Amino acid sequence: MPPDTTAPDPTPDRGEDTRRRLVEAALPEFARDGYDGVSIRRIAEAAEANVAAVAYHFGGKRGLYLAVARHVAERNGAAVAPMVERVAAEVAAADGDRVRLGALLARVTTGFLRGMVTAREDGRAGFLVRELLTPSDAFDILYDGFFEPMNRAMSLIAAAAHGVPPDSAAAVLRGHLVFGAVMPFIAGRAVVERRLGREILEGAALEETLGVAVAAACGSLGLPVPASPGVPPHA
């Protein structure tokens, strides 16, 4: 058990390390059991910090939860923000070429699913799914840092595929359908794995799942499915 002291981490370096450990320890706990199902003491023990450190660094449990949301948004958003710019450039370069748009969507879908598989391992995916199902004040952080940019990228492809403005309801709704090609394999994987009696997100099984997700994403926008998810846009 860590020492019970009311003056945690008097030095800036130690304080930053404690903040990091608390956030990293809290993430899988909140992802697994939700905000109400996790105690501050349990998080502190997992982080090898004292209970007083949560109030000292975050003002309490709610502040820690919001810090976890910011951590998730920053980790996921670091990959999504430049991806939106690349998608915009490639959509413009495709100039309506549906083969190139299909190849682009395949790459985006593949990257999204692979990223969510990684996020599943450290708790980020579970945290995101909980906030999607029962949004709290943390949802705004996740929306600005991850959900909205991701939808914006998908909507750009949907708009080009259907000849509508990128911010139109048709583009936003159709772009959101691409989430549906990926998220069931993350949030609902237990159903398929029970039916199949095996994992679907590891090794060769992941490649099969990626192929299905790409086909579903392209099908939702009426775009041709490339022979390989990694096919270059000029092929």
Side-chain angles (χ1 to χ4, degrees):
M1 290 287 293
D4 186 14
T5 172
T6 57
D9 309 311
T11 65
D13 288 346
R14 284 189 59 192
E16 186 58 36
D17 178 67
T18 299
R19 283 180 60 88
R20 176 188 57 77
R21 286 189 285 111
L22 284 168
V23 168
E24 290 178 354
L27 173 54
E29 300 288 346
F30 285 137
R32 182 174 59 250
D33 294 327
Y35 180 82
D36 293 329
V38 181
S39 69
I40 291 177
R41 181 168 297 278
R42 189 166 115 194
I43 293 170
E45 289 178 356
E48 298 185 348
N50 59 70
V51 174
V54 174
Y56 182 85
H57 290 290
F58 303 100
K61 181 179 175 182
R62 196 67 198 169
L64 175 56
Y65 187 82
L66 294 176
V68 170
R70 284 190 289 273
H71 170 74
V72 172
E74 288 168 4
R75 283 282 308 274
N76 286 36
V80 171
M83 185 267 289
V84 175
E85 295 182 6
R86 291 196 301 271
V87 167
E90 293 195 38
V91 164
D95 193 26
D97 185 323
R98 301 184 70 77
V99 171
R100 292 181 64 173
L101 290 173
L104 171 60
L105 180 58
R107 292 199 309 279
V108 171
T109 302
T110 298
F112 182 27
L113 181 51
R114 288 190 186 278
M116 290 303 292
V117 169
T118 300
R120 178 176 70 104
E121 296 169 357
D122 63 14
R124 281 177 291 137
F127 191 89
L128 289 166
V129 169
R130 280 189 175 275
E131 281 294 321
L132 282 171
L133 293 175
T134 53
S136 72
D137 48 346
F139 180 80
D140 289 343
I141 297 170
L142 299 172
Y143 176 83
D144 292 340
F146 177 60
F147 291 128
E148 192 276 344
M150 195 71 200
N151 179 268
R152 184 172 297 280
M154 302 302 192
S155 298
L156 287 170
I157 302 173
H162 290 272
V164 297
D167 291 326
S168 66
V172 171
L173 291 169
R174 288 183 179 275
H176 193 65
L177 282 177
V178 179
F179 278 82
V182 170
M183 292 308 292
F185 292 123
I186 302 298
R189 71 186 187 284
V191 175
V192 180
E193 290 178 347
R194 178 72 64 88
R195 289 285 323 270
L196 296 178
R198 61 173 174 80
E199 262 277 358
I200 62 169
L201 298 177
E202 293 183 358
L206 174 58
E207 298 307 312
E208 179 185 9
T209 302
L210 286 168
V212 172
V214 165
C218 290
S220 72
L221 297 183
L223 293 172
V225 181
S228 168
V231 66
H234 302 295

